């Protein structure tokens, strides 16, 4: 058990790579789960390019492709991850000392995780033509067809779940290129939120749906949290200020509450926490599955409370556990988002 915790409790820059690899396997699990309930993936997600006239792959073909890709990336990344752990443990004392900047251990520790990240991103983008298509146009979301819009939403929303590990990665890697430290990591890590804000406003410009403005507000709520992080770097003494903590908790609570309610009511299309979709739309999964998702989403959205209120110093189980829990929460969100899109899709005319 200790070895398993040590595997996940990895050096700061390597955590992003581990989360990306885990996300590939989670996507495989999502497809398997939806397929077990006869959800046709190609009816809710654009699997091929819009102008491609070839038939879409079946669920089975899609699952097999993702499984092969996940195995391929695991064979590549796990040895690299283990090597990285060894390097960090081997050179930890070296990097903590006052040796000249640019020594071989320093370069290895900074460049090795960066090279792995570039490899992962390259292979992920190259794996799917529709992913390449959407990534190139990510801020310029296309509302039609709905299946293509869902690809944009899943990609950009998933990026927002990587905000915290992205901050940690950029903060560590940035020291390789610039000293003294600047706050470019916070600026870059805010891009996922800005992308979603821009997407919502762009869509609203064309369809004039007020819910898009509500969604814009949801992502705007992320920005004050990043501002608080930046302010604490400049004024670390404010960490002991009760007034500052009150404002920080207020924004965290508003963000978590708003996002949670939006997940359930809008993204998952569940009008009632009790009766769920009775009298509205059918449900693909068993009823207890929805109750479980509603409860666990609430717990994960407010996991930060355990630490903020002083119940635990920095974590409950292991260091930076919230970053892993957020990726799991996002995977759960994807399942119910796609399920909602599936039951809401227009039925073909007979």
């Amino acid at each position: 058990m200790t070895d398993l915790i040590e595997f996940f409790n990895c050096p700061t820059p390597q955590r992003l790579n581990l989360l990306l690899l885990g996300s590939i396997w989670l996507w495989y699990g999502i497809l398997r789960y939806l397929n077990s309930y006869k959800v046709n993936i190609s009816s809710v997600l654009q699997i091929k390019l819009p102008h491609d006239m070839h038939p879409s792959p079946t669920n089975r073909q899609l699952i097999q492709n993702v499984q092969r890709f996940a195995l391929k990336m695991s064979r590549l990344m796990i040895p690299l991850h283990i090597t990285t752990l060894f390097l960090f443990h081997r050179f930890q004392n070296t990097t903590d000392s006052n040796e000249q900047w640019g020594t071989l251990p320093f370069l290895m520790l900074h460049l090795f995780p960066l090279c792995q990240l570039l490899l992962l991103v390259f292979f992920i983008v190259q794996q799917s033509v529709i992913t390449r298509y959407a990534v190139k146009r990510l801020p310029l979301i296309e509302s039609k067809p709905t299946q293509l819009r869902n690809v944009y939403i899943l990609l950009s929303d998933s990026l927002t779940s990587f905000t915290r590990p992205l901050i940690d990665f950029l903060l560590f890697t940035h020291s390789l290129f610039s000293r003294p430290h600047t706050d470019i990591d916070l600026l870059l890590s805010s891009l996922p939120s800005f992308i979603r804000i821009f997407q919502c406003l762009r869509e609203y410009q064309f369809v004039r749906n007020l819910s898009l403005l509500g969604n814009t507000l949801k992502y705007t709520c992320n920005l004050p949290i990043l501002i608080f992080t930046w302010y604490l770097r400049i004024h670390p003494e404010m960490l002991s200020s009760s007034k500052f903590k009150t404002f920080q908790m207020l924004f965290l609570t508003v963000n978590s509450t708003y996002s949670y309610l939006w997940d359930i009511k809008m993204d998952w299309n569940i009008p009632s926490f009790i009766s769920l979709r009775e009298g509205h739309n059918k449900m693909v999964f068993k009823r207890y599955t929805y109750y479980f998702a509603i409860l666990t989403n609430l717990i994960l959205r407010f996991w930060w409370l355990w630490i903020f209120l002083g119940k635990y110093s920095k974590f409950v189980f292991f260091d930076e556990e919230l970053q892993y829990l957020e990726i799991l929460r996002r995977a759960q969100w994807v399942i119910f988002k796609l399920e909602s899109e599936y039951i809401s899709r227009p039925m073909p005319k007979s």
Side-chain angles (χ1 to χ4, degrees), residues 265-276:
K265 300 285 188 176
M266 304 299 292
D267 291 337
W268 296 357
N269 193 21
I270 298 177
S272 170
F273 288 95
I274 306 300
S275 59
L276 302 176

Side-chain angles (χ1 to χ4, degrees), residues 131-189:
T131 301
R132 291 198 300 274
Y133 177 89
V135 166
K136 292 176 183 178
R137 302 162 177 80
L138 198 56
L140 307 176
I141 187 171
E142 300 173 60
S143 299
K144 300 293 182 180
T146 303
Q147 294 92 330
L148 181 57
R149 179 182 183 270
N150 289 338
V151 173
Y152 283 103
I153 297 300
L154 260 59
L155 282 174
S156 49
D157 267 339
S158 296
L159 279 176
T160 62
S161 291
F162 282 91
T163 298
R164 184 66 245 182
L166 187 59
I167 290 176
D168 290 345
F169 182 89
L170 292 172
L171 180 62
F172 184 89
T173 307
H174 180 242
S175 60
L176 178 65
F177 304 101
S178 175
R179 287 191 177 186
H181 171 70
T182 64
D183 295 305
I184 189 68
D185 59 304
L186 290 178
L187 177 63
L188 293 176
S189 61

Side-chain angles (χ1 to χ4, degrees), residues 233-245:
R233 287 183 181 178
I234 301 175
H235 303 283
E237 69 278 2
M238 295 301 294
L239 192 59
S240 59
S241 169
S242 59
K243 187 176 182 180
F244 181 85
K245 281 189 173 182

